[in-house]
Amino acid sequence: MRTFIRGGRLIDPSQSLDRVADLVIVDGQIEAVQSPDATGPAALDASSDHAIDARDCLVMAGGIDVHTHIGGGKVALARLLLQDLTDGPESEFLPSPTVAAQRYLQMGYTSCFEPAVLPCNARAAHAEMALAHGLDTGGYCLLGNDDLLLQMIGDGVPQVMVNDYVAAMVAATQCIAVKVVNPGGINAFKYNVRDLDVDTPHPRYGVTPSKIIRTLCRAVYEIGLPHPLHVHCSNLGVPGNIASTIKTIEAADGLPIHLTHVQFHCYGDEGPYGMSSAAQQLVRAMQKHPNVTVDVGQIMFGQTVTISGDTAHQFANHRHAKPRKSALVDIECEAGCGVVPFRYRRRQFVHSLQWAIGLELFLMIDDPERVFLTTDHPNGAPFTSYPHLIRLLADHSFRETALAEIHTDAAAASDLSGLDRQYTINELVAMTRVGPSKILGLGDTGTLRPGVPADVVVYPQRSTWDQTFAQAKYVLKSGRCIAGTDVPSTGSGRPQVSTAAESLHRTHRVDLSLDKSAWKSIVRRYPAAGSSSLGRLAISDDEMRTQLGSTLVNHAPRPRQR
């Protein structure tokens, strides 16, 4: 079976591809890019082939969201807490995994990654993500506040033992990466320590957040995970926290590190309100440290809910809940969780400044493959706000109009009015496709390169950027049309997703091998400081396939470093 996407503008910065051409798909894989008037073996056979008219359309790989909370216990807890704010699974900021997948596909996204898979809840997280029909998913294993790791670092065990433990937890949870939230701070909160700065020793284990970051960065690098350590820094949301963010970068000792939702970690403490933008300081730090990548965590105005493993921050923030309710959970020996509903207001100084800081970061960081489009869904805003955010980045006059509508003091305190950069379509594709694929080590995703699975989206070029990216005309997954305005529907009330999507779900993970003696040693040690036995926690490949209904996509690690 061949499919021809005819006459669209094909865009793939990884190949320096930007021209009107036909895309040829054979048996679910991209076979060739050819000129629109091609004849011969690759020409269309009307009797057996399928043609998609992409004239006046943009054609690119499916989008990749590197950080979106779509599965796991914290999301379920938020849905339970906020039943009165939501319309069942159709909630704008807390959709069910199935509805979230429909909305992502409609926007042209085909891969999404849950950044906080707690080991003791990994099975439930994967089960939820398996309901995201049509999307590829993957998870980041949450470490850095678990008692066993803190105990090992505090005891000064050899790095190789830490490496084996990290590899074992990533393998047991079927994950692709490692994330740390407020390193050591969640655990310290259980000892009634409300703040743990980067150089402050833990009250029980004596380790500092910088030591945790240094150890985990090295472990992730040495066991060969493609994605750097994914770090939610200390002091989230606190004025002046740019100092701890830069200390976090320095703690990596030059090893790859990814800072997530950096808008929340990019504040100075200057000005009459005691809060200012530190976007320029972070940009300078990134120029000095090429090992750093970031995603922004842009806030957008309106109602949402914040869900985070950072219980210390959520406890401090719960008094600002809108509506006035929250949930804070201590998760035994592993981590914590906090749910606080929140409304960002356009005329409130802090919220307006947060909005401006996020845009400053997007516009000041030159390399679109080092900064990624996120709202930390749903913490900064629902992911459905991405088309609006793209227009803010790509349309200077639209951005200037929006800037004039925020709190006047915040607008005056921001450098945003002096930034006239407009993202090009190639930069947008690099930020949402090429860069995410590269940093996650996905290899055959995020590109239109011949020989890779045909995860392709066709956008009609509408009058504004937000209209263009709000609704795809066609979304193909492994060559099958599963979503889009021109794809037949099933009459479910959300017509742009086909039943073909229901049979398509893949889980990306890194296929780590572990020495049997190392595994047995960790299995013996784990129950003394863990929530359960490691044997019961571990998810087998067979369980992922048969019980959770997901096809595993294995990615090879880099060779182990010593």
Side-chain angles (χ1 to χ4, degrees):
M1 174 64 183
R2 296 192 303 177
T3 299
F4 286 72
I5 300 178
R6 306 283 267 179
R9 180 183 172 186
L10 274 56
I11 303 170
D12 180 4
S14 72
Q15 303 181 82
S16 300
L17 173 65
D18 184 355
R19 63 186 175 92
V20 174
D22 292 350
L23 191 69
V24 185
I25 298 169
V26 178
D27 296 330
Q29 288 193 325
I30 295 174
E31 181 173 86
V33 173
Q34 64 181 26
S35 61
D37 57 351
T39 58
L44 176 66
D45 178 353
S47 64
S48 61
D49 296 335
H50 176 56
I52 291 174
D53 184 358
R55 288 173 296 178
D56 299 319
C57 293
L58 304 173
V59 181
M60 61 191 72
I64 302 169
D65 195 337
V66 301
H67 188 111
T68 177
H69 296 284
I70 57 172
K74 62 198 175 303
V75 182
L77 182 62
R79 292 194 191 105
L80 180 65
L81 180 71
L82 298 175
Q83 291 181 75
D84 57 333
L85 272 187
T86 64
D87 181 21
E90 306 300 310
S91 161
E92 181 70 16
F93 50 87
L94 281 175
S96 70
T98 302
V99 172
Q102 291 173 349
R103 291 177 177 170
Y104 264 118
L105 289 168
Q106 289 164 14
M107 295 192 308
Y109 277 75
T110 54
S111 302
C112 297
F113 291 84
E114 164 57 59
V117 175
L118 197 61
C120 66
N121 189 56
R123 189 170 272 102
H126 282 298
E128 282 203 67
M129 288 190 284
L131 298 175
H133 303 308
L135 281 183
D136 285 2
T137 61
Y140 307 160
C141 179
L142 204 59
L143 297 174
N145 282 282
D146 43 318
D147 280 87
L148 181 51
L149 180 62
L150 297 181
Q151 184 183 92
M152 293 172 74
I153 298 173
D155 289 346
V157 303
Q159 180 71 37
V160 66
M161 292 180 62
V162 175
N163 294 359
D164 286 340
Y165 172 68
V166 172
M169 298 308 293
V170 172
T173 57
Q174 297 281 358
C175 281
I176 193 171
V178 172
K179 181 183 179 192
V180 58
V181 174
N182 186 3
I186 302 169
N187 194 287
F189 184 71
K190 300 174 185 181
Y191 297 88
N192 203 31
V193 174
R194 305 297 174 84
D195 302 297
L196 196 72
D197 208 350
V198 180
D199 295 321
T200 305
H202 187 280
R204 177 174 179 181
Y205 298 107
V207 298
T208 62
S210 61
K211 177 67 172 177
I212 297 168
I213 293 162
R214 186 171 293 110
T215 303
L216 279 175
C217 275
R218 184 176 171 189
V220 165
Y221 178 76
E222 291 184 353
I223 66 177
L225 295 183
H227 187 53
L229 180 66
H230 197 92
V231 182
H232 163 138
C233 298
S234 308
N235 298 317
L236 181 144
V238 177
N241 63 9
I242 186 62
S244 57
T245 300
I246 292 175
K247 286 182 181 179
T248 298
I249 291 172
E250 293 169 346
D253 287 341
L255 292 174
I257 186 171
H258 179 87
L259 305 186
T260 190
H261 43 64
V262 286
Q263 179 279 132
F264 291 105
H265 305 276
C266 203
Y267 305 152
D269 54 9
E270 300 171 353
Y273 293 86
M275 180 176 172
S276 56
S277 171
Q280 289 189 359
Q281 293 182 58
L282 180 59
V283 173
R284 287 196 294 269
M286 290 182 66
Q287 292 168 346
K288 181 180 178 181
H289 299 276
N291 56 307
V292 180
T293 54
V294 303
D295 63 79
V296 170
Q298 178 69 33
I299 77 139
M300 305 292 270
F301 301 115
Q303 180 69 50
T304 190
V305 58
T306 61
I307 54 177
S308 176
D310 195 342
T311 40
H313 167 73
Q314 294 294 70
F315 175 78
N317 201 39
H318 81 280
R319 65 185 183 276
H320 301 301
K322 304 283 184 194
R324 289 285 191 174
K325 55 182 175 179
S326 58
L328 298 171
V329 181
D330 174 22
I331 306 174
E332 297 185 19
C333 304
E334 292 195 11
C337 176
V339 178
V340 180
F342 204 80
R343 179 179 289 275
Y344 293 102
R345 301 184 184 276
R346 194 183 307 273
R347 293 294 184 177
Q348 209 271 2
F349 172 83
V350 171
H351 302 170
S352 289
L353 188 60
Q354 290 177 303
W355 175 87
I357 290 169
L359 295 176
E360 287 175 351
L361 290 167
F362 276 119
L363 297 167
M364 289 179 178
I365 298 171
D366 292 334
D367 187 349
E369 293 187 24
R370 292 182 67 193
V371 56
F372 305 122
L373 189 90
T374 65
T375 58
D376 188 19
H377 166 81
N379 291 298
F383 64 80
T384 48
S385 63
Y386 286 177
H388 181 76
L389 175 54
I390 286 172
R391 186 176 179 187
L392 287 169
L393 299 177
D395 185 338
H396 176 253
S397 62
F398 180 73
R399 186 168 67 241
E400 286 291 289
T401 299
L403 180 63
E405 296 172 349
I406 70 171
H407 191 287
T408 55
D409 290 345
S414 168
D415 292 326
L416 193 57
S417 63
L419 299 173
D420 58 4
R421 177 185 177 186
Q422 295 186 141
Y423 268 68
T424 66
I425 185 61
N426 276 271
E427 288 174 327
L428 291 171
V429 173
M431 181 170 60
T432 58
R433 273 88 174 160
V434 177
S437 176
K438 185 182 297 185
I439 197 174
L440 285 163
L442 301 183
D444 60 359
T445 303
T447 178
L448 299 179
R449 188 177 66 252
V452 307
D455 292 357
V456 181
V457 58
V458 179
Y459 292 107
Q461 294 192 71
R462 299 187 176 100
S463 59
T464 61
W465 285 112
D466 51 346
Q467 292 174 358
T468 295
F469 284 99
Q471 182 69 73
K473 186 175 183 180
Y474 293 98
V475 179
L476 283 72
K477 190 72 179 296
S478 297
R480 298 168 65 183
C481 288
I482 63 170
T485 56
D486 288 17
V487 175
S489 123
T490 61
S492 63
R494 294 201 168 271
Q496 288 78 33
V497 178
S498 76
T499 52
E502 296 183 7
S503 62
L504 295 172
H505 181 265
R506 305 188 303 179
T507 298
H508 291 275
R509 62 96 182 259
V510 176
D511 191 11
L512 293 171
S513 59
L514 193 66
D515 180 83
K516 287 185 178 180
S517 62
W519 172 259
K520 288 179 180 178
S521 173
I522 295 164
V523 168
R524 285 194 302 269
R525 187 168 186 169
Y526 190 80
S531 302
S532 64
S533 75
L534 190 54
R536 286 196 296 271
L537 180 149
I539 309 169
S540 69
D541 292 1
D542 183 65
E543 183 179 353
M544 288 289 293
R545 287 189 293 263
T546 62
Q547 296 184 41
L548 301 182
S550 184
T551 299
L552 290 171
V553 181
N554 294 319
H555 299 282
R558 293 177 287 97
R560 279 205 177 204
Q561 305 293 317
R562 289 292 190 225

